[in-house]
Amino acid sequence: MSALQHLRILDLSRVLAGPWATQQLADMGAEVIKIEKPDGGDDTRGWGPPFLKDSEGQPTRESAYYLCANRGKKSVAIDMASPEGQARLRELVKDCDVVVENFKVGGLKKYGLDYDSLAAIKPDLVYCSITGFGQQGPRADQAGYDFMIQGLGGLMSITGDPQGEPQKVGVAVTDLFTGMYATVAILAALAHRDRTGIGQHIDLALFDCQLAMLANVASNYLVGNVQPPRYGNAHANIVPYQAFAASDGHVIVAVGNDGQFGRFAELCGHAEWAQDARFATNKARVENRQILVPMISDALATQPRSHWISGMESLGIPGGPINTIPEALAEPQALARGAVVEIPHPAGSVKMVANPIKFSKTPICYDTPPPTLGEHTAAY
């Protein structure tokens, strides 16, 4: 039994933010009907290489990008620009609990697929719109993409080497966080509907989510009224909390409190650091990071990574290596937690990163691969 197997989702979204949300719902058991244009489908189907290889080692039309966000869904090919397609979608809505879409503001109104039109058919419908900038405001009509939102929303100004250029994060975190906010909002709206019988429209913007993700850094500015700088791998509010060069590569040190710092100082062979008024508290260490960090750097450069990692592990000091993606997925902890799953696919099978949620009663089921284009059209 799955947690959300009683729900049916009509997924009009494409690319990443919307599909990420609907994959989360599919993982928890919801029936997700992914509507795709008959000619080409979701844009990400062509975002490769790499493409999934079949049993003979030949590339298929299924890109790795598309595969990462569409597990557990049914693909139905419908031309929503045609009157027939619009009528078919309005008929499908009658038996759906949720609609998710990420078209431009007002883009579905001309098709009669906007919230007001569909709520007239199904008043208890939960309808989630994901756009770049939301349903109102001076930028509402503009398209929004993760990269530009990372820049506009301030994230790039605090990411990267302090002496280098601003950097985006290595994955599309604005899209991904927006997808997760969408999942939370949809489940909350469904809880409200179940109590009241009333549906609602959810207005989610990548820009809003990016601002919310600034978390403690935005709070630092709002409270301290000082523009946050780039710290590279260091932390604005904790020291030492960054990467350091050992004799054979880099290691992460993530000291979270004064007790851990005392043990770390001993590990470095400088127990006196913890008694020094300049470093005894986190507040003092933040204020004196320009003095302390070079001292730590000199100490860590004397031994290889293995020495520091094993030492931190034995003393309960958070820290570790900087893994590549293959190394991260091969970590014994990743293997123990089942971080990679292999799902049967028409091409043979597909490996995917597992959903991180571990339910005790309603486990995630991995029996439905990302669908091929229009695979389930006849069933709907």
Side-chain angles (χ1 to χ4, degrees), residues 10-250:
L10 186 64
D11 184 5
L12 305 182
S13 70
R14 62 267 193 236
V15 187
L16 188 54
W20 197 252
T22 53
Q23 177 171 265
Q24 183 75 10
L25 298 170
D27 278 351
M28 293 187 283
E31 178 184 5
V32 176
I33 306 169
K34 182 179 179 68
I35 304 302
E36 301 190 73
K37 55 188 178 183
D39 181 17
D42 190 313
D43 293 344
T44 62
R45 287 184 180 275
W47 287 11
F51 292 89
L52 180 67
K53 293 181 179 179
D54 61 22
S55 57
E56 297 179 353
Q58 297 301 310
T60 67
R61 298 177 62 185
E62 311 301 303
S63 75
Y65 198 116
Y66 163 79
L67 293 170
C68 86
N70 289 285
R71 175 176 61 226
K73 305 177 187 180
K74 308 294 178 61
S75 174
V76 176
I78 294 179
D79 179 10
M80 68 173 62
S82 70
E84 297 79 13
Q86 295 157 21
R88 191 171 172 190
L89 289 171
R90 284 192 288 270
E91 193 64 28
L92 272 174
V93 163
K94 295 178 181 178
D95 295 318
C96 289
D97 300 278
V98 178
V99 169
V100 179
E101 60 92 5
N102 61 351
F103 285 77
K104 290 182 180 180
V105 172
L108 292 179
K109 188 175 181 63
K110 61 184 177 182
Y111 300 142
L113 299 173
D114 58 304
Y115 172 67
D116 289 337
S117 299
L118 297 186
I121 298 172
K122 187 173 176 58
D124 66 347
L125 183 68
V126 170
Y127 188 107
C128 181
S129 295
I130 299 173
T131 58
F133 297 99
Q135 299 296 305
Q136 71 279 330
R139 292 184 181 269
D141 292 333
Q142 296 181 13
Y145 294 89
D146 180 277
F147 186 17
M148 67 170 289
I149 299 292
Q150 286 196 38
L152 187 68
L155 182 61
M156 288 179 63
S157 76
I158 58 169
T159 305
D161 189 286
Q163 307 306 316
E165 66 178 13
Q167 293 286 324
K168 69 178 180 66
V169 181
V171 294
V173 290
T174 304
D175 279 339
L176 298 172
F177 267 88
T178 302
M180 296 307 297
Y181 273 115
T183 303
V184 173
I186 288 166
L187 294 177
L190 288 168
H192 174 264
R193 181 207 65 172
D194 291 345
R195 294 195 309 273
T196 66
I198 301 171
Q200 61 181 299
H201 185 204
I202 300 167
D203 171 13
L204 265 177
L206 271 68
F207 181 68
D208 298 348
C209 293
Q210 174 62 84
L211 294 179
M213 287 165 53
L214 293 175
N216 63 291
V217 178
S219 185
N220 286 347
Y221 167 70
L222 293 172
V223 172
N225 200 32
V226 176
Q227 177 177 311
R230 289 199 302 277
Y231 284 99
N233 286 320
H235 195 287
N237 302 107
I238 311 172
V239 174
Y241 200 99
Q242 64 186 80
F244 290 94
S247 64
D248 62 346
H250 286 79

Side-chain angles (χ1 to χ4, degrees), residues 357-371:
I357 297 173
K358 311 294 185 186
F359 288 111
S360 66
K361 300 296 183 184
T362 55
I364 303 296
C365 185
Y366 299 104
D367 58 359
T368 305

Side-chain angles (χ1 to χ4, degrees), residues 287-357:
E287 293 171 345
N288 293 286
R289 72 166 73 223
Q290 300 303 328
I291 301 171
L292 177 60
V293 168
M295 295 165 62
I296 296 174
S297 295
D298 289 344
L300 267 63
T302 64
Q303 297 288 342
R305 289 176 297 174
S306 59
H307 171 82
W308 300 117
I309 292 171
S310 62
M312 287 189 289
E313 288 179 353
S314 66
L315 294 172
I317 302 166
I322 300 174
N323 281 339
T324 64
I325 302 302
E327 288 170 340
L329 294 175
E331 272 281 334
Q333 184 66 22
L335 300 177
R337 296 285 288 174
V340 175
V341 295
E342 188 162 0
I343 307 173
H345 187 278
S349 66
V350 56
K351 289 182 179 180
M352 303 186 71
V353 176
N355 191 305
I357 297 173

